[in-house]
Protein backbone atom coordinates (compact mmCIF):
# COMPACT_ATOMS: atom_id res chain seq x y z
CA UNK A 1 0.00 0.00 0.00
CA UNK A 2 1.87 3.05 -1.25
CA UNK A 3 1.55 6.46 0.38
CA UNK A 4 2.88 9.92 -0.30
CA UNK A 5 4.20 12.50 2.17
CA UNK A 6 3.75 16.10 0.96
CA UNK A 7 5.38 19.06 2.68
CA UNK A 8 4.05 22.62 2.72
CA UNK A 9 6.96 23.76 0.52
CA UNK A 10 5.95 21.28 -2.21
CA UNK A 11 8.50 18.56 -1.43
CA UNK A 12 7.15 15.05 -2.00
CA UNK A 13 8.39 11.77 -0.50
CA UNK A 14 7.11 8.43 -1.80
CA UNK A 15 6.73 5.65 0.75
CA UNK A 16 4.85 2.58 1.88
CA UNK A 17 1.90 2.74 4.22
CA UNK A 18 1.53 0.87 7.50
CA UNK A 19 -0.68 1.36 10.52
CA UNK A 20 -4.17 2.79 9.93
CA UNK A 21 -5.45 3.90 6.54
CA UNK A 22 -6.56 7.43 5.73
CA UNK A 23 -5.25 10.85 4.71
CA UNK A 24 -4.03 13.25 7.42
CA UNK A 25 -2.70 16.80 7.74
CA UNK A 26 -0.59 18.11 10.63
CA UNK A 27 2.59 19.90 11.65
CA UNK A 28 5.54 17.66 10.85
CA UNK A 29 8.27 17.41 13.51
CA UNK A 30 11.20 15.10 14.19
CA UNK A 31 12.48 13.27 17.25
CA UNK A 32 16.11 12.21 17.55
CA UNK A 33 15.29 9.50 20.12
CA UNK A 34 16.88 6.13 19.36
CA UNK A 35 14.39 4.29 21.58
CA UNK A 36 11.13 4.88 23.43
CA UNK A 37 8.90 5.17 20.36
CA UNK A 38 5.84 3.88 22.25
CA UNK A 39 6.20 6.54 24.95
CA UNK A 40 6.74 9.22 22.29
CA UNK A 41 3.73 8.25 20.17
CA UNK A 42 1.49 8.20 23.26
CA UNK A 43 2.84 11.54 24.58
CA UNK A 44 -0.03 14.04 24.23
CA UNK A 45 2.46 16.83 23.58
CA UNK A 46 2.53 15.44 20.01
CA UNK A 47 -1.19 16.21 19.61
CA UNK A 48 -1.97 17.06 15.98
CA UNK A 49 1.61 16.46 14.81
CA UNK A 50 3.13 14.09 12.26
CA UNK A 51 5.97 12.50 14.20
CA UNK A 52 9.16 11.61 12.31
CA UNK A 53 11.73 9.33 13.93
CA UNK A 54 15.30 10.00 12.80
CA UNK A 55 16.52 6.61 14.02
CA UNK A 56 16.45 4.28 10.95
CA UNK A 57 14.68 1.26 12.51
CA UNK A 58 11.56 1.73 14.62
CA UNK A 59 9.35 -0.96 16.16
CA UNK A 60 11.96 -3.67 16.75
CA UNK A 61 10.88 -4.38 20.35
CA UNK A 62 7.14 -4.02 19.74
CA UNK A 63 4.56 -2.39 21.97
CA UNK A 64 3.74 -3.48 25.54
CA UNK A 65 1.24 -2.72 28.29
CA UNK A 66 3.67 -0.85 30.56
CA UNK A 67 5.03 1.95 28.38
CA UNK A 68 1.92 4.00 27.58
CA UNK A 69 2.09 7.70 28.42
CA UNK A 70 -1.61 8.10 27.57
CA UNK A 71 -4.39 5.67 26.73
CA UNK A 72 -5.61 7.43 23.56
CA UNK A 73 -2.68 9.02 21.67
CA UNK A 74 -3.50 11.97 19.43
CA UNK A 75 -0.49 12.40 17.17
CA UNK A 76 -1.62 12.55 13.53
CA UNK A 77 0.80 10.08 11.95
CA UNK A 78 4.20 8.39 12.22
CA UNK A 79 7.04 8.64 9.67
CA UNK A 80 9.93 6.13 9.68
CA UNK A 81 12.74 4.90 7.45
CA UNK A 82 11.93 1.28 8.26
CA UNK A 83 9.52 -0.38 10.68
CA UNK A 84 10.07 -3.83 12.15
CA UNK A 85 7.37 -6.22 10.97
CA UNK A 86 8.37 -8.87 13.52
CA UNK A 87 9.32 -7.37 16.89
CA UNK A 88 11.54 -9.37 19.21
CA UNK A 89 11.23 -8.70 22.92
CA UNK A 90 9.87 -10.71 25.84
CA UNK A 91 7.51 -7.86 26.78
CA UNK A 92 6.12 -7.31 23.28
CA UNK A 93 2.37 -7.75 22.90
CA UNK A 94 1.78 -5.95 19.60
CA UNK A 95 3.82 -4.93 16.60
CA UNK A 96 4.06 -1.20 15.85
CA UNK A 97 1.87 -1.77 12.77
CA UNK A 98 -0.87 -3.48 14.85
CA UNK A 99 -0.64 -0.79 17.53
CA UNK A 100 -1.07 2.08 15.05
CA UNK A 101 -4.02 0.29 13.42
CA UNK A 102 -5.73 -0.07 16.82
CA UNK A 103 -5.13 3.59 17.66
CA UNK A 104 -6.20 4.73 14.16
CA UNK A 105 -2.86 6.41 13.44
CA UNK A 106 -1.48 6.19 9.87
CA UNK A 107 2.19 5.48 9.26
CA UNK A 108 4.49 5.85 6.28
CA UNK A 109 7.78 3.96 5.88
CA UNK A 110 10.54 3.93 3.28
CA UNK A 111 11.10 7.68 3.75
CA UNK A 112 14.60 9.16 3.68
CA UNK A 113 14.17 10.53 7.20
CA UNK A 114 17.69 11.99 7.19
CA UNK A 115 16.88 14.17 4.16
CA UNK A 116 13.52 15.08 5.68
CA UNK A 117 15.14 16.08 8.99
CA UNK A 118 17.79 18.17 7.26
CA UNK A 119 15.01 20.05 5.46
CA UNK A 120 13.09 20.66 8.71
CA UNK A 121 16.27 21.84 10.44
CA UNK A 122 16.99 24.25 7.56
CA UNK A 123 13.48 25.58 7.00
CA UNK A 124 11.73 24.86 10.30
CA UNK A 125 8.70 22.76 11.09
CA UNK A 126 5.90 23.04 8.56
CA UNK A 127 2.54 21.60 7.64
CA UNK A 128 2.53 18.25 5.88
CA UNK A 129 0.04 15.66 4.69
CA UNK A 130 0.08 11.92 4.10
CA UNK A 131 -2.11 10.95 1.16
CA UNK A 132 -2.88 8.13 -1.24
CA UNK A 133 -0.54 8.31 -4.26
CA UNK A 134 -3.60 8.09 -6.51
CA UNK A 135 -4.75 11.50 -5.21
CA UNK A 136 -4.13 14.32 -7.70
CA UNK A 137 -1.07 16.17 -6.38
CA UNK A 138 -2.36 19.68 -7.15
CA UNK A 139 -5.59 19.01 -5.26
CA UNK A 140 -3.81 17.42 -2.28
CA UNK A 141 -1.28 20.28 -2.15
CA UNK A 142 -4.01 22.94 -2.30
CA UNK A 143 -5.85 21.20 0.54
CA UNK A 144 -2.66 21.07 2.60
CA UNK A 145 -1.95 24.78 2.14
CA UNK A 146 -5.59 25.69 2.91
CA UNK A 147 -5.68 23.69 6.16
CA UNK A 148 -5.55 25.79 9.33
CA UNK A 149 -3.96 23.87 12.21
CA UNK A 150 -6.00 23.84 15.44
CA UNK A 151 -5.10 26.06 18.39
CA UNK A 152 -7.28 24.38 21.04
CA UNK A 153 -4.86 21.50 21.50
CA UNK A 154 -4.75 21.50 25.32
CA UNK A 155 -8.55 21.45 25.36
CA UNK A 156 -8.45 18.33 23.17
CA UNK A 157 -6.15 16.32 25.45
CA UNK A 158 -6.87 17.53 29.00
CA UNK A 159 -9.18 15.50 31.22
CA UNK A 160 -12.75 16.84 31.23
CA UNK A 161 -13.47 15.85 34.82
CA UNK A 162 -11.28 15.73 37.96
CA UNK A 163 -10.13 12.31 39.15
CA UNK A 164 -8.05 11.03 42.07
CA UNK A 165 -4.90 8.93 42.15
CA UNK A 166 -4.93 8.04 45.85
CA UNK A 167 -1.83 8.06 48.02
CA UNK A 168 -1.03 8.47 51.69
CA UNK A 169 1.35 11.43 51.71
CA UNK A 170 1.37 15.01 50.52
CA UNK A 171 -1.75 16.29 48.74
CA UNK A 172 -0.83 17.44 45.23
CA UNK A 173 -3.20 18.94 42.67
CA UNK A 174 -2.06 18.05 39.15
CA UNK A 175 -3.29 20.42 36.42
CA UNK A 176 -3.60 18.32 33.27
CA UNK A 177 -2.54 20.15 30.11
CA UNK A 178 -1.89 16.80 28.35
CA UNK A 179 0.01 14.98 31.07
CA UNK A 180 2.33 12.03 30.69
CA UNK A 181 1.57 9.10 32.99
CA UNK A 182 5.21 9.12 34.08
CA UNK A 183 4.62 12.38 35.99
CA UNK A 184 1.89 10.66 37.99
CA UNK A 185 4.18 7.65 38.50
CA UNK A 186 6.98 9.77 39.95
CA UNK A 187 4.61 11.59 42.31
CA UNK A 188 3.01 8.28 43.33
CA UNK A 189 6.43 6.76 44.05
CA UNK A 190 6.81 9.56 46.60
CA UNK A 191 3.45 8.53 48.13
CA UNK A 192 1.65 11.72 47.08
CA UNK A 193 -2.14 11.80 47.16
CA UNK A 194 -3.04 13.16 43.72
CA UNK A 195 -6.08 14.98 42.38
CA UNK A 196 -5.89 15.50 38.60
CA UNK A 197 -7.84 18.57 37.42
CA UNK A 198 -8.81 19.95 33.96
CA UNK A 199 -6.66 22.62 32.32
CA UNK A 200 -9.23 25.38 32.93
CA UNK A 201 -9.73 24.74 36.67
CA UNK A 202 -10.03 28.02 38.57
CA UNK A 203 -7.60 29.14 41.27
CA UNK A 204 -10.47 29.11 43.75
CA UNK A 205 -11.33 25.47 43.00
CA UNK A 206 -7.67 24.48 43.43
CA UNK A 207 -7.20 26.32 46.71
CA UNK A 208 -10.46 24.86 48.09
CA UNK A 209 -8.73 21.47 48.04
CA UNK A 210 -6.07 22.86 50.39
CA UNK A 211 -3.21 21.20 48.47
CA UNK A 212 0.36 20.94 49.70
CA UNK A 213 1.52 21.68 46.15
CA UNK A 214 0.40 22.13 42.54
CA UNK A 215 1.97 20.38 39.52
CA UNK A 216 1.65 22.07 36.12
CA UNK A 217 2.11 19.33 33.52
CA UNK A 218 3.37 19.12 29.97
CA UNK A 219 1.02 19.53 27.02
CA UNK A 220 0.82 20.44 23.33
CA UNK A 221 0.79 23.69 21.41
CA UNK A 222 1.35 27.38 22.08
CA UNK A 223 1.21 28.36 25.79
CA UNK A 224 -0.44 31.66 24.81
CA UNK A 225 -3.49 29.65 23.70
CA UNK A 226 -4.22 28.81 27.38
CA UNK A 227 -4.91 32.23 28.99
CA UNK A 228 -7.11 30.63 31.69
CA UNK A 229 -4.09 28.79 33.07
CA UNK A 230 -1.91 31.92 33.09
CA UNK A 231 -4.50 33.78 35.19
CA UNK A 232 -4.88 30.77 37.51
CA UNK A 233 -1.12 30.59 38.16
CA UNK A 234 -1.00 34.30 38.98
CA UNK A 235 -3.67 33.76 41.64
CA UNK A 236 -2.22 30.66 43.33
CA UNK A 237 1.50 31.45 43.36
CA UNK A 238 2.61 32.48 46.82
CA UNK A 239 -0.27 30.58 48.37
CA UNK A 240 0.94 27.08 47.48
CA UNK A 241 4.22 25.56 46.12
CA UNK A 242 4.28 25.10 42.33
CA UNK A 243 6.31 22.82 40.04
CA UNK A 244 5.93 23.25 36.26
CA UNK A 245 7.15 20.89 33.53
CA UNK A 246 7.44 21.72 29.80
CA UNK A 247 4.21 23.56 28.86
CA UNK A 248 3.73 24.10 32.60
CA UNK A 249 7.13 25.86 32.63
CA UNK A 250 6.11 28.13 29.75
CA UNK A 251 2.78 28.99 31.41
CA UNK A 252 4.58 29.74 34.70
CA UNK A 253 6.90 32.08 32.77
CA UNK A 254 4.01 33.87 31.04
CA UNK A 255 2.22 34.27 34.38
CA UNK A 256 5.29 36.15 35.62
CA UNK A 257 5.64 38.59 32.76
CA UNK A 258 7.92 36.63 30.42
CA UNK A 259 7.39 36.13 26.71
CA UNK A 260 7.50 32.87 24.74
CA UNK A 261 8.28 32.24 21.07
CA UNK A 262 7.92 29.43 18.53
CA UNK A 263 11.24 27.71 17.91
CA UNK A 264 12.47 26.92 14.40
CA UNK A 265 12.25 23.14 14.84
CA UNK A 266 11.99 22.63 18.60
CA UNK A 267 13.63 20.12 20.93
CA UNK A 268 12.41 16.55 20.60
CA UNK A 269 14.64 13.72 21.76
CA UNK A 270 16.41 12.12 24.71
CA UNK A 271 19.92 13.53 24.66
CA UNK A 272 19.58 17.28 25.28
CA UNK A 273 22.36 18.51 27.61
CA UNK A 274 21.08 20.95 30.22
CA UNK A 275 23.31 22.83 32.67
CA UNK A 276 22.16 23.74 36.16
CA UNK A 277 23.72 27.17 36.58
CA UNK A 278 24.18 27.10 40.38
CA UNK A 279 26.08 23.81 40.53
CA UNK A 280 27.49 23.54 37.01
CA UNK A 281 26.02 20.03 36.87
CA UNK A 282 25.05 18.82 33.40
CA UNK A 283 22.11 16.47 32.92
CA UNK A 284 21.09 14.70 29.73
CA UNK A 285 17.37 15.21 29.41
CA UNK A 286 14.24 14.10 27.59
CA UNK A 287 12.56 16.98 25.74
CA UNK A 288 9.52 17.55 23.57
CA UNK A 289 8.55 21.14 22.87
CA UNK A 290 8.24 23.61 20.02
CA UNK A 291 8.08 26.81 22.10
CA UNK A 292 10.56 28.39 24.51
CA UNK A 293 10.83 31.22 27.03
CA UNK A 294 12.54 34.34 25.66
CA UNK A 295 15.62 34.93 27.82
CA UNK A 296 15.54 38.73 27.49
CA UNK A 297 11.96 38.79 28.79
CA UNK A 298 12.86 37.18 32.14
CA UNK A 299 12.62 39.85 34.85
CA UNK A 300 15.53 39.30 37.29
CA UNK A 301 13.56 41.09 40.01
CA UNK A 302 11.20 38.13 40.41
CA UNK A 303 12.63 35.19 38.42
CA UNK A 304 15.96 33.40 38.42
CA UNK A 305 17.10 31.39 35.38
CA UNK A 306 18.25 28.07 36.87
CA UNK A 307 18.95 25.90 33.81
CA UNK A 308 20.11 26.46 30.22
CA UNK A 309 20.29 24.15 27.20
CA UNK A 310 23.94 23.79 26.16
CA UNK A 311 23.29 23.32 22.42
CA UNK A 312 21.44 26.58 21.81
CA UNK A 313 21.44 28.43 25.14
CA UNK A 314 17.67 28.44 25.56
CA UNK A 315 16.07 28.91 28.98
CA UNK A 316 15.42 25.49 30.53
CA UNK A 317 14.56 26.32 34.15
CA UNK A 318 13.12 29.13 36.28
CA UNK A 319 12.69 29.74 39.99
CA UNK A 320 10.60 32.46 41.59
CA UNK A 321 12.58 34.70 43.94
CA UNK A 322 9.61 35.59 46.15
CA UNK A 323 7.37 32.51 46.04
CA UNK A 324 7.95 28.73 46.44
CA UNK A 325 7.70 27.95 42.74
CA UNK A 326 10.00 26.57 40.05
CA UNK A 327 9.77 25.06 36.58
CA UNK A 328 11.82 23.22 33.97
CA UNK A 329 11.45 22.98 30.20
CA UNK A 330 12.63 19.36 30.03
CA UNK A 331 11.03 16.14 31.35
CA UNK A 332 12.63 15.06 34.63
CA UNK A 333 10.20 12.11 34.56
CA UNK A 334 11.91 11.00 31.31
CA UNK A 335 9.83 8.12 29.81
CA UNK A 336 11.53 7.75 27.45
CA UNK A 337 15.01 8.96 28.23
CA UNK A 338 17.69 9.33 30.90
CA UNK A 339 16.80 9.72 34.59
CA UNK A 340 19.46 12.35 35.32
CA UNK A 341 16.94 14.92 36.60
CA UNK A 342 14.62 12.78 38.75
CA UNK A 343 15.84 14.60 41.86
CA UNK A 344 13.69 17.58 40.85
CA UNK A 345 10.68 15.62 42.13
CA UNK A 346 12.47 15.25 45.48
CA UNK A 347 13.14 18.99 45.41
CA UNK A 348 9.39 19.55 44.97
CA UNK A 349 8.73 17.35 48.02
CA UNK A 350 11.21 19.38 50.08
CA UNK A 351 9.66 22.65 48.89
CA UNK A 352 6.18 21.51 49.97
CA UNK A 353 7.44 20.32 53.38
CA UNK A 354 9.33 23.56 54.05
CA UNK A 355 6.33 25.69 53.05
CA UNK A 356 3.99 23.65 55.24
CA UNK A 357 6.34 23.87 58.21
CA UNK A 358 6.75 27.61 57.77
CA UNK A 359 3.01 28.29 57.58
CA UNK A 360 1.90 25.85 60.26
CA UNK A 361 4.63 26.51 62.81
Amino acid sequence: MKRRLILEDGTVFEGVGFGAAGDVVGEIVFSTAMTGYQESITDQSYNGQILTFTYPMIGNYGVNRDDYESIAPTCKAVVVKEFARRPSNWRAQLSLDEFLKRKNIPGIAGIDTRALTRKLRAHGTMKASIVDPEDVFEHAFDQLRATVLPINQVQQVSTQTPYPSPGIGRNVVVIDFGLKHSILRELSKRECNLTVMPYDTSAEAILELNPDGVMLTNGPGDPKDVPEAIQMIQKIQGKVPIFGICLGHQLFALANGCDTYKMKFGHRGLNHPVKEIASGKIAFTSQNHGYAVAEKSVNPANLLITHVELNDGTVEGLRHKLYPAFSVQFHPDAAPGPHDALDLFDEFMELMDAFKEEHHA
Side-chain angles (χ1 to χ4, degrees):
M1 180 175 60
K2 290 189 175 179
R3 280 191 184 146
R4 181 184 285 168
L5 172 65
I6 304 174
L7 304 187
E8 191 178 359
D9 68 354
T11 306
V12 178
F13 291 88
E14 302 284 347
V16 178
F18 69 107
D23 296 356
V24 293
V25 177
E27 181 185 44
I28 189 163
V29 299
F30 65 88
S31 170
T32 57
M34 294 171 67
T35 185
Y37 53 82
Q38 181 180 343
E39 295 97 318
S40 295
I41 293 168
T42 57
D43 180 351
Q44 295 288 13
S45 294
Y46 284 114
N47 171 268
Q49 294 178 325
I50 297 173
L51 172 55
T52 302
F53 288 101
T54 61
Y55 193 68
M57 166 66 83
I58 297 294
N60 55 318
Y61 55 84
V63 171
N64 66 74
R65 66 172 195 178
D66 298 324
D67 291 340
Y68 286 92
E69 287 300 316
S70 69
I71 300 302
T74 57
C75 70
K76 281 284 185 173
V78 173
V79 179
V80 300
K81 174 73 172 70
E82 183 181 352
F83 76 97
R85 288 171 174 79
R86 293 191 180 90
S88 176
N89 186 275
W90 65 273
R91 294 198 305 160
Q93 294 164 309
L94 294 170
S95 70
L96 180 61
D97 181 41
E98 292 167 327
F99 168 68
L100 293 180
K101 282 187 169 77
R102 290 192 184 187
K103 298 300 181 183
N104 199 32
I105 298 172
I108 184 169
I111 299 296
D112 184 345
T113 50
R114 180 167 291 186
L116 173 58
T117 300
R118 286 173 68 90
K119 179 172 283 290
L120 295 178
R121 284 182 62 90
H123 302 288
T125 56
M126 60 183 87
K127 288 189 292 186
S129 60
I130 295 177
V131 300
D132 189 295
E134 304 304 315
D135 293 357
V136 177
F137 171 77
E138 288 75 14
H139 176 64
F141 188 50
D142 286 345
Q143 282 194 315
L144 168 61
R145 288 194 297 181
T147 299
V148 177
L149 298 178
I151 61 171
N152 62 335
Q153 290 171 277
V154 169
Q155 186 180 338
Q156 291 176 30
V157 299
S158 175
T159 183
Q160 300 299 305
T161 54
Y163 63 90
S165 179
I168 58 172
R170 305 165 186 88
N171 287 304
V172 177
V173 168
V174 179
I175 307 300
D176 176 14
F177 300 115
L179 65 79
K180 289 170 64 183
H181 288 178
S182 49
I183 292 176
L184 300 183
R185 287 188 201 109
E186 289 303 326
L187 292 170
S188 295
K189 277 181 194 173
R190 291 157 179 82
E191 300 185 334
C192 292
N193 182 53
L194 309 178
T195 305
V196 182
M197 307 286 279
Y199 77 99
D200 56 354
T201 303
S202 69
E204 293 74 21
I206 292 168
L207 295 173
E208 273 177 17
L209 294 171
N210 195 25
D212 296 316
V214 173
M215 166 65 72
L216 309 172
T217 77
N218 65 294
D222 186 342
K224 292 176 182 174
D225 292 338
V226 201
E228 312 94 321
I230 297 168
Q231 294 158 18
M232 175 271 289
I233 295 165
Q234 289 169 339
K235 290 178 181 177
I236 68 168
Q237 63 182 8
K239 297 173 183 173
V240 62
I242 297 171
F243 180 18
I245 292 175
C246 202
L247 183 69
H249 158 79
Q250 296 160 12
L251 292 168
F252 173 65
L254 289 172
N256 284 285
C258 300
D259 193 18
T260 55
Y261 63 94
K262 186 173 174 62
M263 304 171 79
K264 188 174 181 181
F265 50 80
H267 293 165
R268 297 176 181 89
L270 314 181
N271 57 352
H272 288 266
V274 171
K275 180 179 180 179
E276 183 181 44
I277 294 170
S279 66
K281 175 186 164 189
I282 295 170
F284 282 92
T285 65
S286 176
Q287 301 202 13
N288 176 11
H289 60 100
Y291 291 80
V293 175
E295 182 182 359
K296 289 181 179 177
S297 71
V298 178
N299 182 354
N302 65 346
L303 289 179
L304 177 72
I305 296 175
T306 57
H307 296 76
V308 293
E309 216 269 12
L310 289 180
N311 288 328
D312 58 12
T314 49
V315 176
E316 289 278 337
L318 294 169
R319 180 178 292 276
H320 207 289
K321 289 184 173 179
L322 305 175
Y323 306 134
F326 70 102
S327 64
V328 291
Q329 181 62 79
F330 51 91
H331 286 270
D333 51 293
H339 296 160
D340 293 18
L342 278 176
D343 59 334
L344 287 170
F345 285 96
D346 299 322
E347 199 172 313
F348 184 39
M349 303 300 117
E350 292 165 8
L351 191 68
M352 288 189 283
D353 291 346
F355 185 80
K356 195 171 184 178
E357 193 172 313
E358 184 182 330
H359 287 77
H360 294 88

